[in-house]
Amino acid sequence: MLVAAAVCPCPPLLVPQVAAGAAPELDAARAACTDALGLLAASRPDLLVVVGPAEQSGRGPHPQGTRGSFRGFGVDLDVRLGEDKPGPGAAERSARELPPSLAVAAWLLERTGWSDAPVEGLGVGEPLEAERCIHVGGEIAGRAERVALLVMGDASACRTLKAPGYLDERAAGFDAEIARALGAADVAALEALDAELAHELKVSGRAPWQVLAGAAEGAGLGGALLYDDAPYGVGYLVAAWS
């Protein structure tokens, strides 16, 4: 059963070494992420599952100990998803690397000293249909008596003229509804997100948020919005459910 969730943005710029001189611009977002992860630890889960957007090569499960890197962003920095443990999955850990969203999550977990429960990753594709996302979430929630989720994803990338997707007048309203739904733990609203519009607005978090919605069905969790801003014209949201 899902007992807690943290929702965080996943830009590599969240990692100060990647952001370099611009690092202070996301200090408030990092602080909010730390607070959200603190809530996860306080929930004392038996299992933490990290869900984030991924391209084809990074989709699917990533067992505990899988490594990631920020070398593709010009930084010699490696991370690992939880403690590396011998046994089943060792070959997969050596063969696959975390997608960027899960590498950011691994960095956040290392930064906060996560050691409270086993941790696994799941990369989901942007095209994944809502019904499938919701089903996957329900399966995750049933994997242990006390399950926590760390859900990575960004809102629209079309909030300003200089945004990666240029300015789209629909973006601010879409992001505001996402912020409201995440802050209120509104499962029905997340399940009903318009996937086509999310794609047009370059939203990376739609599928992970719908996995969260599926996991949270019937759990009766409440939500709190901890951060809502759009630096660089991209919507970044942090929320905590418990």
Side-chain angles (χ1 to χ4, degrees), residues 102-235:
L102 299 190
V104 173
W107 177 82
L108 286 171
L109 291 169
E110 289 183 3
R111 181 174 182 258
T112 54
W114 179 271
S115 60
D116 298 88
V119 55
E120 300 175 7
L122 178 65
V124 294
E126 188 272 337
L128 196 64
E129 295 180 353
E131 289 185 4
R132 180 60 182 160
C133 292
I134 294 164
H135 177 74
V136 168
E139 289 184 332
I140 291 172
R143 290 191 52 201
E145 186 174 343
R146 298 181 65 81
V147 175
L149 280 178
L150 173 53
V151 183
M152 309 299 291
D154 301 337
S156 73
C158 304
R159 292 280 292 272
T160 65
L161 292 173
K162 293 184 178 180
Y166 197 65
L167 175 64
D168 190 312
E169 294 181 355
R170 302 171 296 175
F174 186 91
D175 288 0
E177 172 56 18
I178 294 296
R180 185 206 64 78
L182 291 175
D186 189 336
V187 170
L190 293 177
E191 290 181 342
L193 287 176
D194 186 332
E196 183 175 349
L197 178 57
H199 174 71
E200 292 174 2
L201 296 176
K202 302 187 182 302
V203 175
S204 71
R206 191 274 306 171
W209 297 331
Q210 289 187 319
V211 171
L212 166 62
E217 281 189 348
L221 302 183
L225 187 66
L226 306 182
Y227 180 86
D228 177 8
D229 203 356
Y232 319 117
V234 181

Side-chain angles (χ1 to χ4, degrees), residues 11 13 40 42 50 65 76 83 89 108 120 148 164 193 205 237:
L13 287 172
L40 292 185
V50 183
D76 186 13
E83 298 178 359
L108 286 171
E120 300 175 7
L193 287 176
L237 301 166

